[in-house]
Amino acid sequence: MPRWHTWAGKGVQVARGVKICVEGIVQGVGFRPFVYTLARRLGLSGSVVNTGQGVEIRLCAPAGLVDRFLELLRSEAPALARIGAIEVSRVDMEPGAGFVIGASRGRQGATTLVPPDVATCDDCLADIRTPGNRRYRYPFTNCTNCGPRLTIIGRLPYDRAHTSMAGFTMCSECSREYHDPGDRRFHAQPNGCPACGPRLAWHDRRGALISRDNDYCLRSCARALADGHIVALKGLGGFQLAVDAASAAAVGLLRQRKQRPAKPLALMVPDLERAAAIAEIDQQEQELLCSPERPIVLLRRRSSVLPGLLAPGMGELGIMLPCTPLHHLLFAARECPPVLVMTSGNVSGEPICTGNQEAFSRLAAIADFFLVHDREILTRVDDSVVRVVRGRLQMIRRARGYVPVPLALGETENMHLLACGAEQKNTFCLARDGLVFPGPHIGDLKGPANLAFFEESVRFLEQVLEIRPQRVACDLHPDYLSSRHGAALGLPLVRVQHHHAHGAAIMAEHGLARGLAVLYDGAGLGPDRSVWGGELLFLQGRQWRRLGCLARFRLPGGDMAARQPWRTALALLAATDSGYLPPPLRRLSPSVRQGIATMLGRGINSPPCSSVGRLFDGVAALIGVRQEVSFEGQAAMELEHLAWQGVGGGSLQEQERYPVQIRARDGLPVFDFRPLVRGLLDDIRQGVEPAVMAAAFHAWLVASTVALIERVRADSRDILLGGGCFQNRLLLTGLAARLEQGGWAVHTGEQVPVNDGGIALGQVLVAAGDEDGAGREPPGGPEFR
């Protein structure tokens, strides 16, 4: 859970009346009905209303009862509520005859928090599964404890008139529920039923309507999936593409049409029993699967009938349980396959579709059928992705269910701030009044469609949260679209070095004032204009100092090296002065190898880098794992999967076989990759198994990192592990264990991703401490930057 800024409301000793202002996530979660019931239980008169700041309660009561009311307000609040602050003040009011829920009031400077979308609760599941219930098999059933929130909100306060449910007039029965304080649908804004609420529609691949009958639509969708067809399904925050996960032909067709040849595909299963049949699940993972957020959880794969094409070369499957009544009812259909691929409804690299006509147009070349509905999605939000590592949550993609729940950051008191994030896995942040609001996952910020999605999402959250940025933060790289957006706003701009932001994000999440940061990723622009990615930084507030790094090598072709790891492999061989060419690289023509040698020798389009992410790629190519990739991190992920096989039932430390060497470069300690490469080449000559070499590489990286940390002196025992490379479970667990054995306190991203999806939070922390708001690039040298 995020850390909330809180202060206790103090009981008023003598008062004719009191006003209690509650801030936090208190709208759309059944908070007013809860307050109403609590006040009636205690015999208090007064009122409760939604405001732009949260919820305002007025009571006419003796001081003792006010204290009791405040105590129960916190201890018995609805499960979905998140109380951030309570302020109590005296007011003049006349005693009333009872307690009422008043009309919502919007006010300038809104500070209320927007609730995230919530998976279907058990009570609503019982409704749709019970014959005779008027919501039996109704795919849009919800109550104050579950259902859409963020994705249907147009503006605050959170009232039906401000949502995409405004066009659905409640029938008499739904209206009765909505106005009955004793009903769990009391003031449930998305409330509806088959008579008055949203309904499904079934369309062919041309977008032509086939049926609007809910049951027919569900049965037709299940039958189409069983027949191997691809269905575009309108979910909670956008469209999803579904196929039968057990059909290799259907999965292959989806990959071909979606232009996604190898990236893992998310799966949806109806229940925990089915999930446990295809993956290993511990107690924490089970709780995440069943949580109200309903994220995709990365789980260790079991041997099953599912084709390897779902996640080729990987040891994990991304699995989620149904999050809406629509998904539950689809699985309940007799013809529905028991495991479905449920991946984002988009062409790879583009934003997910939200509108029906948009989907008919953009997904026409992918989907065979469309299952849509007439409730508009106002905010597109992808599925969240998480895993459990070292007994802790690790957020991979923060989106549906978690956005826009804020984190507390005292440095942002009395200011409004926008942090634009990075280029890949972009997520922005907005900050105000001591809270930071991470925006939805945007994805790789390349091309006009994704930029439009970014700008649309920023505008929406600025509007709904009433944030007017006074300062902007962005990455040091001037050509990122996020950086260009920030620079074009005409506000005071703070440019934050990429790895500084990675480390600062972990400091912000864990409330640290300083720390020694190990930051491993693919690329980030350094202040020396070279490519960084294997960094050891000391952070203190907004200041930082580079203490060490991976020894530099060149990237022939620049960004092309990230897509063709063989380029990095050749660069590592050249830096090692080895005359031996491993068999996997002999497939390259002599002219290609000579061209790369010329580029490296003359420094032509071959920027120097200290990137651990590219080192992973180079090692993967050297030992024959992969020479080209179709998505970011593919070679490294496959190398990790192979390494787990090499470790077997032993420890990573037992796999050490390559020498560690720390040397100085320009007065800076670096860990040298050349002994590693020589060791790998010796093993290749001797026919050592690739799995053994992959495990030994991970062990070498852990040992080298520990040696580098021990070489430097830093006034902190807190270690921050950040950057996309620490999504590698083997690396993270192995390094954390060694450091904790040495007495270090290890911190990494939990609520916020360690990948570039967490960059914006770090930018907020740095920019909030920038007194004049002027973007300053740090000078060279080892002193504080």
Side-chain angles (χ1 to χ4, degrees):
M1 295 301 302
R3 295 172 293 107
W4 293 91
H5 73 308
T6 60
W7 61 88
K10 301 299 183 183
V12 179
Q13 296 304 312
V14 179
R16 194 171 188 183
V18 296
K19 180 174 71 174
I20 303 169
C21 296
V22 186
E23 296 182 9
I25 297 181
V26 289
Q27 294 187 19
V29 293
F31 197 79
R32 286 181 298 169
F34 156 69
V35 170
Y36 174 91
T37 302
L38 177 60
R40 292 283 297 266
R41 192 171 96 203
L42 295 178
L44 306 179
S45 63
S47 64
V48 58
V49 298
N50 278 343
T51 72
Q53 286 67 40
V55 166
E56 181 184 294
I57 305 164
R58 290 178 180 252
L59 296 176
C60 191
L65 275 181
V66 171
D67 285 340
R68 179 61 176 160
F69 178 87
L70 290 169
E71 177 186 340
L72 296 175
L73 191 72
R74 283 192 178 278
S75 65
E76 297 184 3
L80 299 178
R82 300 291 185 271
I83 296 177
I86 296 177
E87 288 185 331
V88 183
S89 58
R90 294 185 178 95
V91 293
D92 289 330
M93 58 182 290
E94 295 296 329
F99 195 89
V100 298
I101 296 180
S104 298
R105 300 198 308 267
R107 297 211 304 259
Q108 278 297 107
T111 58
T112 194
L113 304 183
V114 180
D117 301 296
V118 183
T120 311
C121 70
D122 290 341
D123 288 334
C124 285
L125 280 179
D127 288 344
I128 66 174
R129 291 170 175 170
T130 303
N133 188 293
R134 70 189 195 91
R135 289 188 175 84
Y136 177 56
R137 295 183 54 76
Y138 181 56
F140 304 97
T141 300
N142 64 84
C143 68
T144 55
N145 299 317
C146 69
R149 299 292 191 271
L150 170 67
T151 51
I152 64 169
I153 292 175
R155 62 186 176 90
L156 292 176
Y158 176 58
D159 288 323
R160 192 180 181 95
H162 302 155
T163 74
S164 57
M165 289 297 294
F168 297 92
T169 302
M170 285 183 284
C171 66
S172 59
E173 186 62 20
C174 285
S175 180
R176 182 197 62 76
E177 294 169 336
Y178 184 87
H179 292 96
D180 179 2
D183 196 285
R184 78 172 197 277
R185 294 189 171 94
F186 181 50
H187 282 247
Q189 307 307 336
N191 190 30
C193 72
C196 65
R199 59 178 178 167
L200 296 175
W202 181 243
H203 293 251
D204 67 17
R205 69 179 313 158
R206 300 185 309 277
L209 176 66
I210 298 174
S211 174
R212 292 186 186 275
D213 179 79
N214 285 335
D215 282 340
Y216 180 90
C217 292
L218 287 165
R219 289 196 304 270
S220 297
C221 181
R223 192 176 306 114
L225 291 167
D227 289 342
H229 292 297
I230 301 171
V231 175
L233 180 152
K234 190 174 184 181
L236 200 54
F239 274 79
Q240 298 166 309
L241 291 167
V243 297
D244 179 3
S247 170
V251 174
L253 183 63
L254 174 63
R255 286 198 177 280
Q256 176 189 338
R257 292 183 182 177
K258 189 174 163 66
Q259 302 170 36
R260 185 171 174 163
K263 193 173 183 179
L265 296 167
L267 305 179
M268 181 179 282
V269 296
D271 49 43
L272 282 173
E273 181 181 1
R274 181 62 62 173
I278 60 175
E280 299 177 14
I281 309 174
D282 66 21
Q283 183 61 36
Q284 283 181 281
E285 292 163 340
Q286 178 176 317
E287 290 171 1
L288 282 169
L289 283 168
C290 298
S291 68
E293 294 82 6
R294 280 296 198 283
I296 297 169
V297 183
L298 299 183
L299 302 168
R300 292 164 297 283
R301 185 175 190 161
R302 288 186 189 276
S303 177
S304 72
V305 298
L306 296 181
L309 194 58
L310 292 169
M314 309 295 167
E316 293 179 315
L317 292 173
I319 299 175
M320 59 178 157
L321 298 186
C323 62
T324 72
L326 171 57
H327 293 107
H328 283 284
L329 291 170
L330 179 59
F331 277 113
R334 181 174 55 83
E335 302 94 335
C336 187
V339 183
L340 296 176
V341 168
M342 199 68 71
T343 190
S344 302
N346 60 348
V347 176
S348 291
E350 295 183 359
I352 55 174
C353 297
T354 55
N356 295 348
Q357 294 302 320
E358 176 193 11
F360 296 153
S361 173
R362 288 176 51 200
L363 302 180
I366 301 177
D368 298 311
F369 294 97
F370 293 85
L371 182 61
V372 305
H373 56 75
D374 52 357
R375 186 180 67 204
E376 189 178 357
I377 297 172
L378 299 184
T379 301
R380 72 184 85 211
V381 183
D382 215 331
D383 297 314
S384 294
V385 182
V386 304
R387 62 145 62 104
V388 175
V389 185
R390 302 171 56 238
R392 298 177 176 90
L393 173 72
Q394 184 184 52
M395 187 74 63
I396 305 296
R397 184 168 75 197
R398 185 182 174 97
R400 176 183 53 76
Y402 296 94
V403 170
V405 177
L407 286 88
L409 189 63
E411 288 84 350
T412 62
E413 288 285 358
N414 305 314
M415 74 164 60
H416 287 200
L417 193 151
L418 165 66
C420 298
E423 183 89 333
Q424 294 184 319
K425 298 180 174 61
N426 178 271
T427 298
F428 64 89
C429 280
L430 289 163
R432 67 154 199 232
D433 305 323
L435 294 176
V436 180
F437 300 84
H441 169 79
I442 304 295
D444 292 349
L445 199 53
K446 296 178 180 178
N450 283 346
L451 179 60
F453 176 25
F454 169 86
E455 293 174 339
E456 157 199 313
S457 299
V458 171
R459 282 195 302 270
F460 169 76
L461 278 186
E462 284 180 346
Q463 171 195 330
V464 79
L465 296 171
E466 293 198 11
I467 292 177
R468 301 292 178 264
Q470 304 156 304
R471 188 178 301 174
V472 182
C474 68
D475 194 271
L476 188 61
H477 200 305
D479 294 331
Y480 285 176
L481 292 182
S482 55
S483 298
R484 291 181 179 181
H485 175 85
L489 293 176
L491 295 169
L493 181 68
V494 181
R495 296 187 183 273
V496 184
Q497 198 279 327
H498 190 85
H499 300 93
H500 182 195
H502 266 309
I506 299 170
M507 290 176 62
E509 179 178 350
H510 294 282
L512 301 172
R514 60 175 61 189
L516 192 60
V518 179
L519 306 165
Y520 292 165
D521 65 0
L525 182 66
D528 59 0
R529 321 312 288 180
S530 71
V531 178
W532 288 18
E535 310 307 315
L536 180 63
L537 307 183
F538 179 69
L539 307 182
Q540 182 169 336
R542 65 177 300 273
Q543 296 181 307
W544 60 280
R545 186 168 69 237
R546 193 186 198 190
L547 300 181
C549 64
L550 171 66
R552 298 203 303 184
F553 54 91
R554 291 191 174 273
L555 293 177
D559 289 344
M560 285 294 294
R563 297 187 288 275
Q564 297 177 321
W566 59 263
R567 291 174 177 265
T568 303
L570 291 177
L572 295 176
L573 292 176
T576 310
D577 296 325
S578 172
Y580 176 68
L581 189 67
L585 299 178
R586 294 174 193 169
R587 302 168 191 165
L588 300 171
S589 68
S591 61
V592 168
R593 299 200 303 266
Q594 183 56 50
I596 296 296
T598 300
M599 292 173 67
L600 292 169
R602 297 180 181 177
I604 301 171
N605 191 23
S606 300
C609 83
S610 57
S611 168
V612 169
R614 297 291 78 82
L615 181 64
F616 265 92
D617 291 346
V619 170
L622 282 173
I623 68 174
V625 174
R626 178 162 294 278
Q627 305 303 317
E628 298 196 1
V629 302
S630 62
F631 65 92
E632 185 208 4
Q634 182 180 10
M637 293 166 70
E638 292 177 354
L639 186 66
E640 180 197 358
H641 176 52
L642 194 62
W644 278 109
Q645 298 174 31
V647 171
S651 70
L652 185 59
Q653 194 167 356
E654 293 171 355
Q655 310 305 314
E656 292 182 9
R657 61 191 288 129
Y658 304 134
V660 170
Q661 181 178 329
I662 307 296
R663 60 181 176 85
R665 180 183 63 81
D666 299 330
L668 197 70
V670 301
F671 59 103
D672 197 339
F673 59 84
R674 292 176 299 178
L676 162 73
V677 174
R678 295 188 189 103
L680 287 168
L681 295 178
D682 288 342
D683 280 350
I684 293 170
R685 288 191 190 96
Q686 295 170 21
V688 173
E689 287 293 324
V692 173
M693 291 185 283
F697 164 66
H698 282 75
W700 171 87
L701 185 54
V702 167
S704 296
T705 304
V706 172
L708 185 65
I709 291 171
E710 291 174 345
R711 175 68 64 90
V712 305
R713 292 184 178 181
D715 186 20
S716 176
R717 298 299 293 177
D718 288 300
I719 295 282
L720 321 175
L721 303 182
C725 290
F726 285 107
Q727 292 176 144
N728 181 315
R729 188 197 298 264
L730 184 58
L731 174 62
L732 177 57
T733 55
L735 180 55
R738 287 283 296 275
L739 291 171
E740 288 172 344
Q741 288 170 8
W744 298 87
V746 176
H747 310 273
T748 190
E750 296 174 17
Q751 290 291 334
V752 175
V754 294
N755 61 41
D756 282 5
I759 285 282
L761 176 61
Q763 291 174 347
V764 168
L765 179 64
V766 175
D770 191 287
E771 294 181 1
D772 56 16
R776 294 190 296 269
E777 295 184 7
E783 66 276 355
F784 262 114
R785 295 169 168 170

